[in-house]
Amino acid sequence: MTHEPTPAPGHGGHAEAPPAPLSNILLHPPARPSHPPVPPPVAAPAPLEVRIDGLAVSVRAGSTILEACRAEGIDTPTLCYSENLNPVNVCRVCVVEVKGSRVLVPACSRKVEAGMEIETDSERVRTSRKVVLEFLGSSVDVSLAGPVAPDGSIAAYMERYGSDPSRYGPAAPPVAAGERDAHEPGHHHAPGGGPEAATVAQPVKVDNELYVRDYSRCILCYKCVEACGEDAQNTFAIAVAGRGFDARISTEFNVGLPDSACVYCGNCIGVCPTGALMFTSEHEMRAEGTWDESAQTITNTICPYCGVGCSLDLHVQDNSIVKVTSPMDSSVTDGHLCIKGRFGFQFVQNREG
Amino acid sequence: MDLHVIGPLASPAERAAVDAILGPATSGWSGGERNAATDGRAARGGHEARSRRDLLLPVLHAVQGRIGFISQPALNYVCRRLTIPPAEAYGVATFYALFATAPRPPVVAHVCDDIACRLVGAEALCGDLERSLGPAGSPSADGRTTWLRSPCLGLCERAPAAMFTLAGESSTTITAAPVDAVGVASRLAAAAAGRTMAGGTTDVRAFAPQAGEPGVRLLARVGQVDPEGLEAYRSAGGYRALANAIAMGREATIAEVTASRLVGRGGAAFPTGRKWSAVLAERSGQKYVVCNADESEPGTFKDRVLLEEDPFAVVESMTIEGFAVGASKGYLYLRGEYPIAGERMANAIDRARSAGLLGENIMGSGFAFDVELRRGAGAYICGEETALFESIEGKRGEPRNKPPFPVEVGLFGKPTAINNVETLANVLLVLTGGPSADGVGGGEAFASIGTEGSTGPKLFCLSGHVARPGVYEVTFGVTLRELLGLAGGVPGGRAIQAILLGGAAGVFVGEEALDTPLTFEATRAIGATLGSGVVMVFDETADLVDTLRRIAQFFRDESCGQCVPCRVGTVRQEELLARLAAAQRAPAPARSRDAELELLREIGQAMRDASICGLGQTASSAIESALKRPGMVAL
């Protein structure tokens, strides 16, 4: 960072009007406004005319291509995009073709410009979406990815674009715990020519009672990092470490969550699109085979712990709370909670005594 | 943000290394001694500490250089000093290949096994080292030394090459080329015993065979003028270009650069004048100039020669650029594997500053400008301009999405003019007409050199199977055949199998391209590229399958991992090539060659179309170009 010398204040050359005597203000105070001051009117920017898939449409200035597409009812797959986070545009499944652009552009972050001609279903778009979904499907366990409205299920999009992850060969077996975390940048074992496709498969990380981290399911969408850091919690307990295919979400030196800065707000779970981050309750029920979303009800309520009044969605199965989320469109939470609202539900179902 | 730091305290040596960059810790809050009187109840540090976030890489370099790796206590101390969350700092430290976060011996040989070095036996060298020293990465019996494989070190003209790093109180990095197993072992032993390691050759004609010849412009001072003396530089025509620029004013300076039709020499060929005009037009109180000296494209070493042999020219041209666009601060981002360039550039910056050619009121013009040298830490991706900004800012070198472009939102979010070293060297010619001529050459004169679409002189990096590898300067329009002739052609009269233009991100061409003029327009017409000026020759004895697999490995290693197409696509590409190679030996491969090539085409298209930056967009370029040519590769 540069350290500019600050100009010394109060040495400007221009003459200043002498201040009004204090007694004037005390004796003749200005009239109080009868209503709060209104900011000066700002003309709403004129809508932009663009073409999407050949159709002339009028789009609010400042909106993204994704917003424009959704307004037109064009279903666009997204994975790393979330309404309550800044777009990082890394998953690249939302790419569209913009006339005049050498490469495809991410719809989630690119703002519309007047006269833009956008193709959302061209051959190039379909191929990129197909292959990107194949890359994910062949390297990550995406079986739990979606369906999360409005993101949709990865499986449905794979079908739409004709993705076939098996084209890259059978999945390589999982590595031992901690092995991927120890990989150094710039070095990897070259493939030997076998049919197997490299994956991120590894054992689930269970190091606390509240949630588990199953990085075999991690597509590295950066959402948890954003939610833990700048976009919501401001805790920065996790970050992306390593490089390339060895990049992974990690605490410092891969220490367990109890040794990290984690405050167990669970906002990372709330934004995770693939089930890599999961309530321990859900993880254990899935392992037992008792997890059944069709048998669950969702009860909307207000968190009882403090005066903020966060909206809670209690996911209930067999008369027990199995998971707590908060609606994305809640003006209080934007979908985020704290440890009490997210995990402090055991007392409700303590049936002893 | 609450800084959550646990674990044992950093050792005195680790703290000393950090404090050498940041100054002593002033309070218990920042990891220093707790002073009850002043540290009582008010936390200090905060914004002030965070405003120095960009010093993270220099500090990590200091710890790496002092200890040989970055321990958790050392990283924690760094985090307390700079108020950086440890997870984030760990993410940065694990991004760069020259940093280690696990214990590593203090003396390390980084042995290049990249494409140019492979052509002259790097793999055999690594095999020898495995037998004599043990597998790569294994510490020696005394725990003092080890060796690692490295991507291209930019010493391709004297391949095979190696870099040696010694961590300790007098941290040292040297490069040596050519090396053999005995040379590697002897340097490791010398460094471990506290003796000086033997460096490489200092004969400039070993890397710039034209040095001293009349007619060269960009290389005019190379080997002829003391690279460490400012007076020598000035008496050889140095600082006339800056004087001319100041006399003309910034608009006229940019007008000359625009009239020269100079385009960027880093690979993207963007018009320099247009870039400068755009930055000048930005209304911002703070603008930056950045010189991209992170030359890492395999086969490229032209910028290294300029940085080592003509360092004052880099300082002068950056000053001109700062003057022209209205920036008061410039950063030179130098790749970490160029120790000699680092020393000479640091010296040049210091001397220019002492002589009043950097700092306040340069040449009495009232213009203030300074240059700061920053070292990369082993990441090819940081040559991408926005990744380079992130790296200077102390972050992982992950490219940003564009737009916005650097001329609007660049380093520290400010308008930034970023140019390659060779591009800046050309600016001096535009403003002087060359070091030997008097007066202003001018944009028109520069534009008359070369061809209509490609003006000026150009440096090419010749390596591989040519008689005299090295950096060659020609004017645009010279054919590939003529350029190879300058370098003595293919030794032994052997036939050419392929020529790689533009490096790992470039394109393979065959003998039919020999009469193609080396211009942007002519290479584009044959579906090739000049890229960063790499011309790597593979004669009939070369194993191109091996070369392609190394290129695929390179991109997998160097992908930042941010976007899916590149992160996974580079892996799938490498696996596919391995399958193709294995299929040659298998009686009945699982999939036909045509099916594999069709899959490769789709992988390439997705990487090209959907990746964030140029790395992913070009990661399949050379490989596809070779496989597309019937008979070029036996795969």
Side-chain angles (χ1 to χ4, degrees):
Chain A
M1 210 62 179
T2 56
H3 302 283
E4 289 296 304
T6 315
H11 295 289
H14 57 90
E16 287 172 16
L22 189 61
S23 56
N24 277 2
I25 297 174
L26 291 177
L27 294 173
H28 308 286
R32 289 174 69 105
S34 59
H35 53 80
V38 179
V42 179
L48 300 174
E49 303 301 322
V50 301
R51 294 186 86 84
I52 303 181
D53 295 338
L55 280 176
V57 294
S58 194
V59 183
R60 182 176 54 80
S63 57
T64 61
I65 294 177
L66 180 66
E67 288 163 345
C69 286
R70 288 193 171 156
E72 289 303 307
I74 297 169
D75 184 27
T76 306
T78 61
L79 286 168
C80 69
Y81 173 80
S82 181
E83 282 78 359
N84 59 355
L85 301 173
N86 289 322
V88 289
N89 53 67
V90 297
C91 76
R92 316 305 277 188
V93 295
C94 71
V95 287
V96 296
E97 192 167 347
V98 170
K99 194 175 176 190
S101 173
R102 184 174 50 87
V103 293
L104 304 180
V105 304
C108 65
S109 61
R110 183 67 174 267
K111 298 267 197 293
V112 288
E113 294 156 28
M116 232 179 203
E117 291 183 37
I118 300 158
E119 294 286 338
T120 70
D121 205 35
S122 65
E123 188 277 330
R124 283 175 74 192
V125 170
R126 291 186 67 88
T127 300
S128 273
R129 289 182 180 177
K130 173 181 91 168
V131 173
V132 166
L133 288 168
E134 282 178 345
F135 284 170
L136 289 174
S138 63
S139 59
V140 185
D141 176 359
V142 292
S143 57
L144 294 184
V148 183
D151 284 1
S153 149
I154 280 197
Y157 287 120
M158 282 186 163
E159 200 177 318
R160 183 204 285 181
Y161 295 109
S163 297
D164 174 15
S166 70
R167 290 204 290 167
Y168 304 93
V175 296
E179 191 176 319
R180 274 184 58 80
D181 298 289
H183 284 175
E184 294 188 329
H187 299 279
H188 71 269
H189 287 292
E196 286 173 349
T199 70
V200 299
Q202 58 191 301
V204 182
K205 289 184 177 174
V206 184
D207 54 15
N208 68 87
E209 293 178 1
L210 299 180
Y211 70 101
V212 303
R213 296 177 291 157
D214 183 358
Y215 289 131
S216 298
R217 301 182 188 279
C218 176
I219 58 167
L220 219 66
C221 68
Y222 288 57
K223 278 180 176 174
C224 55
V225 177
E226 300 281 303
C228 184
E230 266 172 26
D231 286 355
Q233 192 60 30
N234 219 31
T235 288
F236 300 92
I238 48 173
V240 179
R243 193 166 82 190
F245 194 66
D246 294 332
R248 67 256 174 198
I249 307 294
S250 180
T251 57
E252 65 273 19
F253 288 88
N254 190 32
V255 299
L257 286 178
D259 286 335
S260 77
C262 179
V263 297
Y264 301 96
C265 64
N267 288 331
C268 53
I269 312 171
V271 295
C272 179
T274 63
L277 302 171
M278 193 181 274
F279 277 69
T280 302
S281 48
E282 178 177 348
H283 175 68
E284 287 175 349
M285 289 173 73
R286 283 186 186 277
E288 291 162 5
T290 54
W291 182 261
D292 182 5
E293 270 174 35
S294 65
Q296 290 172 9
T297 58
I298 295 178
T299 302
N300 185 259
T301 183
I302 304 292
C303 179
Y305 278 100
C306 77
V308 172
C310 294
S311 301
L312 299 184
D313 278 344
L314 306 178
H315 299 242
V316 177
Q317 182 179 335
D318 298 333
N319 208 28
S320 283
I321 301 170
V322 292
K323 179 162 91 171
V324 178
T325 58
S326 182
M328 288 282 180
D329 57 1
S330 161
S331 60
V332 179
T333 67
D334 277 341
H336 303 305
L337 291 171
C338 78
I339 181 172
K340 291 175 283 184
R342 181 87 63 186
F343 293 111
F345 54 80
Q346 280 304 320
F347 74 95
V348 178
Q349 44 215 37
N350 192 345
R351 293 178 173 86
E352 292 165 21
Chain B
M1 173 188 65
D2 289 332
L3 207 56
H4 183 91
V5 175
I6 54 149
L9 296 176
S11 71
E14 289 168 334
R15 294 164 72 97
V18 176
D19 292 349
I21 305 287
L22 299 179
T26 53
S27 76
W29 295 101
S30 58
E33 288 290 317
R34 187 173 183 279
N35 181 335
T38 55
D39 290 2
R41 292 171 182 82
R44 291 183 287 127
H47 286 289
E48 194 191 334
R50 283 197 290 277
S51 73
R52 299 204 291 174
R53 166 70 188 257
D54 65 300
L55 291 177
L56 180 57
L57 255 69
V59 170
L60 293 178
H61 264 305
V63 175
Q64 176 74 35
R66 178 68 185 81
I67 310 296
F69 75 104
I70 299 159
S71 71
Q72 189 175 0
L75 192 78
N76 282 343
Y77 182 62
V78 170
C79 290
R80 295 194 59 169
R81 293 301 315 275
L82 294 173
T83 310
I84 299 174
E88 215 173 293
Y90 181 71
V92 174
T94 53
F95 186 86
Y96 296 94
L98 292 184
F99 297 147
T101 49
R104 185 182 278 179
V107 185
V108 183
H110 302 262
V111 180
C112 178
D113 69 349
D114 218 323
I115 46 178
C117 286
R118 296 181 87 74
L119 288 179
V120 288
E123 203 51 49
L125 168 59
C126 289
D128 288 348
L129 292 175
E130 273 168 25
R131 280 184 292 279
S132 59
L133 304 176
S138 60
S140 58
D142 62 0
R144 292 279 295 154
T145 67
T146 188
W147 73 282
L148 294 169
R149 288 169 180 260
S150 166
C152 182
L153 293 168
L155 296 162
C156 320
E157 79 282 6
R158 284 169 285 154
M163 176 177 75
F164 299 84
T165 52
L166 162 66
E169 278 181 46
S170 53
S171 164
T172 314
T173 302
I174 68 147
T175 51
V179 289
D180 55 16
V182 175
V184 171
S186 68
R187 286 181 177 87
L188 287 176
R195 298 194 307 274
T196 309
M197 293 179 279
T201 178
T202 51
D203 176 13
V204 290
R205 291 186 65 87
F207 45 82
Q210 293 167 311
E213 285 181 13
V216 291
R217 298 176 172 95
L218 295 167
L219 299 176
R221 281 180 291 264
V222 169
Q224 308 305 303
V225 177
D226 175 15
E228 300 187 334
L230 177 56
E231 279 320 305
Y233 176 70
R234 293 189 83 153
S235 47
Y239 278 100
R240 276 196 300 119
L242 178 61
N244 288 339
I246 289 173
M248 276 191 283
R250 57 171 55 138
E251 281 81 8
T253 300
I254 294 184
E256 290 298 333
V257 174
T258 306
S260 73
R261 285 186 275 126
L262 170 64
V263 301
R265 305 295 200 232
F270 190 83
T272 308
R274 208 196 301 168
K275 188 182 282 184
W276 290 18
S277 307
V279 177
L280 176 63
E282 285 289 319
R283 287 148 56 103
S284 170
Q286 179 74 58
K287 297 173 187 175
Y288 292 103
V289 160
V290 176
C291 175
N292 186 344
D294 192 49
E295 174 175 71
S296 314
E297 184 71 42
T300 316
F301 45 93
K302 62 186 178 62
D303 293 345
R304 190 202 82 225
V305 171
L306 293 175
L307 292 157
E308 288 179 355
E309 298 300 326
D310 204 5
F312 288 100
V314 180
V315 178
E316 183 189 356
S317 52
M318 285 182 72
T319 312
I320 293 170
E321 185 175 18
F323 172 75
V325 304
S328 58
K329 177 87 194 243
Y331 285 87
L332 175 77
Y333 188 90
L334 177 71
R335 81 174 292 207
E337 292 87 343
Y338 281 177
I340 300 170
E343 286 164 25
R344 300 221 172 129
M345 285 310 310
N347 172 69
I349 292 167
D350 283 348
R351 292 195 181 215
R353 197 180 288 131
S354 305
L357 294 166
L358 286 175
E360 302 294 320
N361 195 18
I362 293 168
M363 289 184 164
S365 62
F367 165 60
F369 186 75
D370 210 337
V371 173
E372 194 172 331
L373 176 64
R374 288 298 177 88
R375 271 180 73 202
Y380 167 73
I381 186 60
C382 289
E384 200 280 340
E385 54 190 9
T386 58
L388 191 154
F389 298 153
E390 294 283 309
S391 186
I392 291 179
E393 291 176 18
K395 299 173 188 160
R396 296 163 57 79
E398 293 178 353
R400 303 172 184 168
N401 217 54
K402 292 188 267 193
F405 292 95
V407 295
E408 300 169 320
V409 182
L411 183 62
F412 301 115
K414 303 296 183 189
T416 303
I418 175 166
N419 286 110
N420 169 261
V421 174
E422 186 190 349
T423 315
L424 289 174
N426 275 287
V427 168
L428 298 185
L429 300 182
V430 171
L431 296 176
T432 60
S436 55
D438 293 322
V440 178
E444 297 289 342
F446 184 92
S448 68
I449 307 169
T451 66
E452 186 60 25
S454 309
T455 61
K458 177 80 189 92
L459 298 180
F460 286 97
C461 315
L462 274 87
S463 61
H465 294 131
V466 289
R468 289 186 299 278
V471 171
Y472 287 86
E473 177 182 330
V474 295
T475 53
F476 275 114
V478 164
T479 65
L480 189 49
R481 190 188 302 278
E482 289 164 335
L483 182 64
L484 294 189
L486 277 179
V490 179
R494 291 190 292 271
I496 291 173
Q497 189 180 171
I499 300 168
L500 179 60
L501 293 182
V507 168
F508 281 96
V509 296
E511 269 199 308
E512 77 287 348
L514 280 176
D515 292 312
T516 304
L518 290 169
T519 61
F520 295 112
E521 59 275 18
T523 47
R524 202 176 299 131
I526 61 164
T529 173
L530 290 184
S532 53
V534 172
V535 177
M536 198 180 291
V537 180
F538 300 80
D539 73 14
E540 57 195 338
T541 66
D543 181 355
L544 270 193
V545 175
D546 178 70
T547 300
L548 293 191
R549 290 186 66 180
R550 184 62 183 90
I551 290 175
Q553 182 196 334
F554 176 81
F555 281 113
R556 176 174 175 177
D557 272 339
E558 298 297 335
S559 166
C560 80
Q562 186 183 197
C563 71
V564 177
C566 176
R567 179 175 78 235
V568 186
T570 53
V571 174
R572 297 294 174 249
Q573 172 173 268
E574 191 193 14
E575 289 169 346
L576 191 150
L577 284 180
R579 287 201 301 271
L580 277 178
Q584 291 181 304
R585 302 186 295 270
R591 193 179 302 161
S592 73
R593 181 177 188 272
D594 286 348
E596 293 281 25
L597 290 189
E598 172 57 21
L599 187 58
L600 181 68
R601 192 192 63 75
E602 282 195 37
I603 293 171
Q605 188 183 333
M607 286 202 284
R608 197 160 42 250
D609 269 349
S611 295
I612 291 178
C613 80
L615 187 152
Q617 289 161 12
T618 57
S620 67
S621 160
I623 292 164
E624 285 193 87
S625 72
L627 289 172
K628 256 192 294 203
R629 287 168 178 277
M632 181 179 269
V633 190
L635 270 182

